[in-house]
Amino acid sequence: AEDTKEDRGFGVLRGGVLWGAFLAIALSYGGLVVVYTYIAPYLTSVTGVTARSVTWLLLLFGVGLIVGNALGGRYADRSVTRTVIVILALLIVSLLLLWDLGSAVVAVIVLLVLLGGAGFGMVPPLQSYVLHLAGTASVLVSALAAASFNAGVALGSSVGGIVLTRTSDYPLLALAGALMTLLGLIVFLLTRRHHTAHRSATGNSSTSVPATHCGQ
């Protein structure tokens, strides 16, 4: 279970590491949205499928997001940090493969399932992570975490629009998305490192604090 305490209101937002976690969410999720916003023209122009086939391919994406969301929550109960790292790494690799193999129908079918799974699989562990950083079961923190995902939608679609405006090269959307998610993973690791160092420092001057599943 999370080592959360009572809601401390706006006071919990004073820690910079929590804002770093919100940024990590926006960047990580935004990496998926860069591609997903323009997935229909991507599939027709790069993969070469018909407009009618796009619906069925997006259905596979939907299957992936349902499975990914369920598995993300299950594995987050064991280790939030490990789950976030694995899921974000999977999303990065899937986006890079889409950039390289976007014209191969069979590869795209598999990658759409993986993108859906990784894209929505990150939601439960990242939400748990920000609550762990806050150290409180805060409605405010939960709301800001949800807002961070929405910020990722806005950021990702904007980046995708910029890419297409400047290059008209749909495969570059996947590369831009991979780089965005990679940046999100880096920010996540930095916030995790800072939080761990802070807990270690305070733990040395007070009673040791039992480890939670976030650090496993």
Side-chain angles (χ1 to χ4, degrees):
E2 296 287 342
D3 57 338
T4 54
K5 301 175 183 178
E6 70 280 358
D7 194 331
R8 299 199 303 271
F10 286 95
V12 74
L13 300 178
R14 295 173 182 171
V17 68
L18 190 58
W19 291 103
F22 293 146
L23 177 61
I25 290 175
L27 290 170
S28 301
Y29 195 66
L32 172 69
V33 178
V34 170
V35 173
Y36 186 72
T37 302
Y38 304 94
I39 192 63
Y42 188 102
L43 292 172
T44 54
S45 63
V46 179
T47 310
V49 302
T50 64
R52 292 184 64 181
S53 300
V54 171
T55 301
W56 297 104
L57 291 176
L58 292 182
L59 180 62
L60 294 175
F61 178 87
V63 170
L65 69 87
I66 293 172
V67 174
N69 191 264
L71 292 178
R74 177 181 299 179
Y75 285 101
D77 287 337
R78 302 179 184 179
S79 171
V80 168
T81 300
R82 188 182 302 122
T83 302
V84 170
I85 293 173
V86 170
I87 288 177
L88 294 188
L90 176 61
L91 180 56
I92 293 167
V93 171
S94 297
L95 288 168
L96 289 175
L97 289 174
L98 185 64
W99 170 54
D100 186 48
L101 303 173
S103 60
V105 178
V106 175
V108 169
I109 289 174
V110 175
L111 290 172
L112 283 175
V113 177
L114 293 177
L115 288 172
F120 279 72
M122 75 172 75
V123 176
L126 283 173
Q127 287 178 326
S128 296
Y129 180 65
V130 295
L131 290 175
H132 171 73
L133 290 182
T136 175
S138 172
V139 175
L140 176 62
V141 173
S142 297
L144 287 175
S148 299
F149 283 105
N150 288 327
V153 173
L155 180 60
S157 58
S158 298
V159 169
I162 293 172
V163 170
L164 293 182
T165 298
R166 297 191 175 184
T167 68
S168 299
D169 189 351
Y170 281 101
L172 282 181
L173 291 173
L175 180 59
L179 293 176
M180 240 180 112
T181 301
L182 175 61
L183 185 57
L185 176 57
I186 292 172
V187 173
F188 169 80
L189 292 174
L190 289 175
T191 62
R192 176 60 187 164
R193 179 179 180 182
H194 178 82
H195 180 66
T196 301
H198 176 72
R199 285 179 65 107
S200 298
T202 56
N204 289 335
S205 58
S206 61
T207 304
S208 60
V209 179
T212 70
H213 68 275
C214 273
Q216 293 175 350

mmCIF file of all heavy atoms in Angstrom, residues 128-164:
data_model
loop_
_atom_site.group_PDB
_atom_site.id
_atom_site.type_symbol
_atom_site.label_atom_id
_atom_site.label_comp_id
_atom_site.label_asym_id
_atom_site.label_seq_id
_atom_site.Cartn_x
_atom_site.Cartn_y
_atom_site.Cartn_z
ATOM 1 N N SER A 128 0.087 6.628 -9.571
ATOM 2 C CA SER A 128 0.535 6.148 -8.263
ATOM 3 C C SER A 128 1.842 6.820 -7.855
ATOM 4 O O SER A 128 2.057 7.128 -6.675
ATOM 5 C CB SER A 128 0.723 4.630 -8.292
ATOM 6 O OG SER A 128 -0.493 3.962 -8.521
ATOM 7 N N TYR A 129 2.687 7.053 -8.838
ATOM 8 C CA TYR A 129 3.999 7.635 -8.558
ATOM 9 C C TYR A 129 3.883 9.055 -7.998
ATOM 10 O O TYR A 129 4.560 9.405 -7.025
ATOM 11 C CB TYR A 129 4.834 7.647 -9.833
ATOM 12 C CG TYR A 129 6.211 8.232 -9.648
ATOM 13 C CD1 TYR A 129 7.152 7.602 -8.831
ATOM 14 C CD2 TYR A 129 6.577 9.420 -10.284
ATOM 15 C CE1 TYR A 129 8.418 8.143 -8.655
ATOM 16 C CE2 TYR A 129 7.834 9.953 -10.120
ATOM 17 C CZ TYR A 129 8.763 9.322 -9.306
ATOM 18 O OH TYR A 129 10.002 9.854 -9.130
ATOM 19 N N VAL A 130 3.007 9.881 -8.594
ATOM 20 C CA VAL A 130 2.896 11.250 -8.097
ATOM 21 C C VAL A 130 2.301 11.278 -6.689
ATOM 22 O O VAL A 130 2.667 12.124 -5.864
ATOM 23 C CB VAL A 130 2.072 12.142 -9.054
ATOM 24 C CG1 VAL A 130 2.785 12.291 -10.390
ATOM 25 C CG2 VAL A 130 0.669 11.608 -9.255
ATOM 26 N N LEU A 131 1.411 10.350 -6.387
ATOM 27 C CA LEU A 131 0.871 10.275 -5.031
ATOM 28 C C LEU A 131 1.950 9.843 -4.046
ATOM 29 O O LEU A 131 1.993 10.307 -2.897
ATOM 30 C CB LEU A 131 -0.312 9.308 -4.983
ATOM 31 C CG LEU A 131 -1.592 9.778 -5.684
ATOM 32 C CD1 LEU A 131 -2.640 8.671 -5.674
ATOM 33 C CD2 LEU A 131 -2.144 11.046 -5.028
ATOM 34 N N HIS A 132 2.828 8.950 -4.494
ATOM 35 C CA HIS A 132 3.945 8.527 -3.655
ATOM 36 C C HIS A 132 4.879 9.706 -3.376
ATOM 37 O O HIS A 132 5.315 9.901 -2.234
ATOM 38 C CB HIS A 132 4.704 7.405 -4.347
ATOM 39 C CG HIS A 132 5.994 7.045 -3.672
ATOM 40 N ND1 HIS A 132 6.043 6.367 -2.474
ATOM 41 C CD2 HIS A 132 7.287 7.272 -4.029
ATOM 42 C CE1 HIS A 132 7.313 6.194 -2.115
ATOM 43 N NE2 HIS A 132 8.076 6.735 -3.039
ATOM 44 N N LEU A 133 5.176 10.498 -4.402
ATOM 45 C CA LEU A 133 6.039 11.664 -4.212
ATOM 46 C C LEU A 133 5.400 12.674 -3.269
ATOM 47 O O LEU A 133 6.075 13.269 -2.434
ATOM 48 C CB LEU A 133 6.320 12.337 -5.561
ATOM 49 C CG LEU A 133 7.217 11.595 -6.559
ATOM 50 C CD1 LEU A 133 7.421 12.453 -7.804
ATOM 51 C CD2 LEU A 133 8.561 11.244 -5.938
ATOM 52 N N ALA A 134 4.084 12.864 -3.440
ATOM 53 C CA ALA A 134 3.387 13.833 -2.590
ATOM 54 C C ALA A 134 3.324 13.371 -1.141
ATOM 55 O O ALA A 134 3.275 14.182 -0.220
ATOM 56 C CB ALA A 134 1.976 14.077 -3.128
ATOM 57 N N GLY A 135 3.330 12.047 -0.948
ATOM 58 C CA GLY A 135 3.243 11.512 0.400
ATOM 59 C C GLY A 135 1.880 11.702 1.022
ATOM 60 O O GLY A 135 1.737 11.677 2.250
ATOM 61 N N THR A 136 0.855 11.922 0.184
ATOM 62 C CA THR A 136 -0.480 12.153 0.700
ATOM 63 C C THR A 136 -1.510 11.711 -0.327
ATOM 64 O O THR A 136 -1.278 11.822 -1.528
ATOM 65 C CB THR A 136 -0.706 13.649 1.022
ATOM 66 O OG1 THR A 136 -2.065 13.847 1.410
ATOM 67 C CG2 THR A 136 -0.416 14.529 -0.173
ATOM 68 N N ALA A 137 -2.626 11.213 0.142
ATOM 69 C CA ALA A 137 -3.725 10.835 -0.745
ATOM 70 C C ALA A 137 -4.504 12.100 -1.099
ATOM 71 O O ALA A 137 -5.588 12.353 -0.590
ATOM 72 C CB ALA A 137 -4.623 9.813 -0.068
ATOM 73 N N SER A 138 -3.917 12.919 -1.962
ATOM 74 C CA SER A 138 -4.439 14.247 -2.251
ATOM 75 C C SER A 138 -5.304 14.259 -3.501
ATOM 76 O O SER A 138 -4.872 13.826 -4.570
ATOM 77 C CB SER A 138 -3.275 15.229 -2.423
ATOM 78 O OG SER A 138 -3.728 16.478 -2.882
ATOM 79 N N VAL A 139 -6.516 14.783 -3.360
ATOM 80 C CA VAL A 139 -7.389 14.967 -4.515
ATOM 81 C C VAL A 139 -6.766 15.968 -5.476
ATOM 82 O O VAL A 139 -6.852 15.829 -6.701
ATOM 83 C CB VAL A 139 -8.784 15.455 -4.063
ATOM 84 C CG1 VAL A 139 -9.663 15.773 -5.267
ATOM 85 C CG2 VAL A 139 -9.452 14.408 -3.181
ATOM 86 N N LEU A 140 -6.113 16.979 -4.935
ATOM 87 C CA LEU A 140 -5.462 17.996 -5.758
ATOM 88 C C LEU A 140 -4.358 17.395 -6.611
ATOM 89 O O LEU A 140 -4.257 17.675 -7.812
ATOM 90 C CB LEU A 140 -4.893 19.098 -4.860
ATOM 91 C CG LEU A 140 -4.095 20.202 -5.577
ATOM 92 C CD1 LEU A 140 -4.987 20.951 -6.555
ATOM 93 C CD2 LEU A 140 -3.493 21.159 -4.544
ATOM 94 N N VAL A 141 -3.524 16.557 -6.013
ATOM 95 C CA VAL A 141 -2.437 15.928 -6.751
ATOM 96 C C VAL A 141 -2.986 15.009 -7.841
ATOM 97 O O VAL A 141 -2.483 14.988 -8.971
ATOM 98 C CB VAL A 141 -1.511 15.147 -5.793
ATOM 99 C CG1 VAL A 141 -0.479 14.339 -6.584
ATOM 100 C CG2 VAL A 141 -0.803 16.106 -4.848
ATOM 101 N N SER A 142 -4.018 14.259 -7.521
ATOM 102 C CA SER A 142 -4.641 13.383 -8.509
ATOM 103 C C SER A 142 -5.192 14.187 -9.676
ATOM 104 O O SER A 142 -5.066 13.796 -10.837
ATOM 105 C CB SER A 142 -5.761 12.561 -7.869
ATOM 106 O OG SER A 142 -5.254 11.706 -6.867
ATOM 107 N N ALA A 143 -5.809 15.332 -9.371
ATOM 108 C CA ALA A 143 -6.363 16.183 -10.422
ATOM 109 C C ALA A 143 -5.266 16.760 -11.295
ATOM 110 O O ALA A 143 -5.400 16.839 -12.530
ATOM 111 C CB ALA A 143 -7.183 17.308 -9.802
ATOM 112 N N LEU A 144 -4.155 17.156 -10.691
ATOM 113 C CA LEU A 144 -3.046 17.716 -11.465
ATOM 114 C C LEU A 144 -2.368 16.635 -12.306
ATOM 115 O O LEU A 144 -1.864 16.914 -13.396
ATOM 116 C CB LEU A 144 -2.039 18.373 -10.529
ATOM 117 C CG LEU A 144 -2.491 19.703 -9.922
ATOM 118 C CD1 LEU A 144 -1.466 20.203 -8.902
ATOM 119 C CD2 LEU A 144 -2.702 20.749 -11.011
ATOM 120 N N ALA A 145 -2.361 15.400 -11.810
ATOM 121 C CA ALA A 145 -1.823 14.299 -12.607
ATOM 122 C C ALA A 145 -2.672 14.093 -13.857
ATOM 123 O O ALA A 145 -2.148 13.929 -14.975
ATOM 124 C CB ALA A 145 -1.768 13.022 -11.782
ATOM 125 N N ALA A 146 -3.998 14.120 -13.685
ATOM 126 C CA ALA A 146 -4.900 13.998 -14.835
ATOM 127 C C ALA A 146 -4.708 15.175 -15.794
ATOM 128 O O ALA A 146 -4.713 14.997 -17.022
ATOM 129 C CB ALA A 146 -6.346 13.936 -14.352
ATOM 130 N N ALA A 147 -4.521 16.362 -15.236
ATOM 131 C CA ALA A 147 -4.287 17.540 -16.068
ATOM 132 C C ALA A 147 -2.981 17.414 -16.843
ATOM 133 O O ALA A 147 -2.864 17.908 -17.971
ATOM 134 C CB ALA A 147 -4.263 18.797 -15.194
ATOM 135 N N SER A 148 -1.997 16.734 -16.249
ATOM 136 C CA SER A 148 -0.713 16.540 -16.927
ATOM 137 C C SER A 148 -0.861 15.646 -18.152
ATOM 138 O O SER A 148 -0.220 15.866 -19.181
ATOM 139 C CB SER A 148 0.304 15.936 -15.958
ATOM 140 O OG SER A 148 0.528 16.793 -14.856
ATOM 141 N N PHE A 149 -1.714 14.624 -18.046
ATOM 142 C CA PHE A 149 -1.993 13.791 -19.218
ATOM 143 C C PHE A 149 -2.667 14.619 -20.310
ATOM 144 O O PHE A 149 -2.347 14.478 -21.496
ATOM 145 C CB PHE A 149 -2.870 12.597 -18.825
ATOM 146 C CG PHE A 149 -2.131 11.493 -18.134
ATOM 147 C CD1 PHE A 149 -2.255 11.308 -16.768
ATOM 148 C CD2 PHE A 149 -1.298 10.646 -18.856
ATOM 149 C CE1 PHE A 149 -1.567 10.289 -16.122
ATOM 150 C CE2 PHE A 149 -0.600 9.625 -18.216
ATOM 151 C CZ PHE A 149 -0.735 9.443 -16.848
ATOM 152 N N ASN A 150 -3.594 15.488 -19.914
ATOM 153 C CA ASN A 150 -4.250 16.354 -20.889
ATOM 154 C C ASN A 150 -3.258 17.346 -21.506
ATOM 155 O O ASN A 150 -3.353 17.674 -22.696
ATOM 156 C CB ASN A 150 -5.405 17.117 -20.232
ATOM 157 C CG ASN A 150 -6.582 16.214 -19.917
ATOM 158 O OD1 ASN A 150 -6.852 15.265 -20.646
ATOM 159 N ND2 ASN A 150 -7.281 16.494 -18.832
ATOM 160 N N ALA A 151 -2.312 17.806 -20.691
ATOM 161 C CA ALA A 151 -1.271 18.678 -21.221
ATOM 162 C C ALA A 151 -0.430 17.931 -22.249
ATOM 163 O O ALA A 151 0.019 18.504 -23.257
ATOM 164 C CB ALA A 151 -0.384 19.192 -20.082
ATOM 165 N N GLY A 152 -0.215 16.630 -21.998
ATOM 166 C CA GLY A 152 0.508 15.818 -22.963
ATOM 167 C C GLY A 152 -0.226 15.709 -24.285
ATOM 168 O O GLY A 152 0.397 15.692 -25.358
ATOM 169 N N VAL A 153 -1.559 15.639 -24.223
ATOM 170 C CA VAL A 153 -2.364 15.605 -25.451
ATOM 171 C C VAL A 153 -2.153 16.882 -26.252
ATOM 172 O O VAL A 153 -1.914 16.850 -27.468
ATOM 173 C CB VAL A 153 -3.857 15.418 -25.115
ATOM 174 C CG1 VAL A 153 -4.713 15.561 -26.370
ATOM 175 C CG2 VAL A 153 -4.096 14.062 -24.474
ATOM 176 N N ALA A 154 -2.237 18.028 -25.575
ATOM 177 C CA ALA A 154 -2.058 19.307 -26.252
ATOM 178 C C ALA A 154 -0.643 19.451 -26.795
ATOM 179 O O ALA A 154 -0.438 19.893 -27.936
ATOM 180 C CB ALA A 154 -2.372 20.449 -25.282
ATOM 181 N N LEU A 155 0.344 19.074 -25.980
ATOM 182 C CA LEU A 155 1.737 19.197 -26.393
ATOM 183 C C LEU A 155 2.054 18.265 -27.560
ATOM 184 O O LEU A 155 2.682 18.666 -28.546
ATOM 185 C CB LEU A 155 2.650 18.873 -25.204
ATOM 186 C CG LEU A 155 4.155 18.954 -25.448
ATOM 187 C CD1 LEU A 155 4.548 20.364 -25.866
ATOM 188 C CD2 LEU A 155 4.925 18.521 -24.203
ATOM 189 N N GLY A 156 1.602 17.014 -27.464
ATOM 190 C CA GLY A 156 1.888 16.046 -28.515
ATOM 191 C C GLY A 156 1.267 16.417 -29.845
ATOM 192 O O GLY A 156 1.925 16.338 -30.897
ATOM 193 N N SER A 157 0.014 16.842 -29.827
ATOM 194 C CA SER A 157 -0.635 17.229 -31.071
ATOM 195 C C SER A 157 0.011 18.473 -31.672
ATOM 196 O O SER A 157 0.137 18.597 -32.899
ATOM 197 C CB SER A 157 -2.130 17.476 -30.842
ATOM 198 O OG SER A 157 -2.337 18.477 -29.868
ATOM 199 N N SER A 158 0.473 19.386 -30.816
ATOM 200 C CA SER A 158 1.154 20.591 -31.302
ATOM 201 C C SER A 158 2.489 20.238 -31.957
ATOM 202 O O SER A 158 2.823 20.756 -33.036
ATOM 203 C CB SER A 158 1.381 21.575 -30.157
ATOM 204 O OG SER A 158 0.158 22.009 -29.610
ATOM 205 N N VAL A 159 3.242 19.364 -31.312
ATOM 206 C CA VAL A 159 4.528 18.939 -31.882
ATOM 207 C C VAL A 159 4.304 18.229 -33.215
ATOM 208 O O VAL A 159 5.024 18.468 -34.194
ATOM 209 C CB VAL A 159 5.279 18.016 -30.901
ATOM 210 C CG1 VAL A 159 6.481 17.368 -31.579
ATOM 211 C CG2 VAL A 159 5.726 18.808 -29.677
ATOM 212 N N GLY A 160 3.290 17.368 -33.267
ATOM 213 C CA GLY A 160 2.984 16.695 -34.519
ATOM 214 C C GLY A 160 2.634 17.677 -35.624
ATOM 215 O O GLY A 160 3.066 17.523 -36.771
ATOM 216 N N GLY A 161 1.856 18.698 -35.295
ATOM 217 C CA GLY A 161 1.506 19.714 -36.277
ATOM 218 C C GLY A 161 2.716 20.472 -36.779
ATOM 219 O O GLY A 161 2.832 20.765 -37.975
ATOM 220 N N ILE A 162 3.638 20.786 -35.872
ATOM 221 C CA ILE A 162 4.867 21.484 -36.268
ATOM 222 C C ILE A 162 5.699 20.620 -37.207
ATOM 223 O O ILE A 162 6.237 21.095 -38.219
ATOM 224 C CB ILE A 162 5.682 21.872 -35.022
ATOM 225 C CG1 ILE A 162 4.928 22.925 -34.209
ATOM 226 C CG2 ILE A 162 7.062 22.386 -35.415
ATOM 227 C CD1 ILE A 162 5.554 23.237 -32.871
ATOM 228 N N VAL A 163 5.813 19.329 -36.881
ATOM 229 C CA VAL A 163 6.589 18.409 -37.723
ATOM 230 C C VAL A 163 6.023 18.367 -39.140
ATOM 231 O O VAL A 163 6.756 18.470 -40.128
ATOM 232 C CB VAL A 163 6.598 16.992 -37.111
ATOM 233 C CG1 VAL A 163 7.183 15.981 -38.105
ATOM 234 C CG2 VAL A 163 7.408 16.979 -35.820
ATOM 235 N N LEU A 164 4.707 18.229 -39.253
ATOM 236 C CA LEU A 164 4.091 18.118 -40.582
ATOM 237 C C LEU A 164 4.115 19.446 -41.333
ATOM 238 O O LEU A 164 4.224 19.465 -42.566
ATOM 239 C CB LEU A 164 2.648 17.625 -40.448
ATOM 240 C CG LEU A 164 2.492 16.184 -39.943
ATOM 241 C CD1 LEU A 164 1.030 15.797 -39.891
ATOM 242 C CD2 LEU A 164 3.259 15.213 -40.839
#
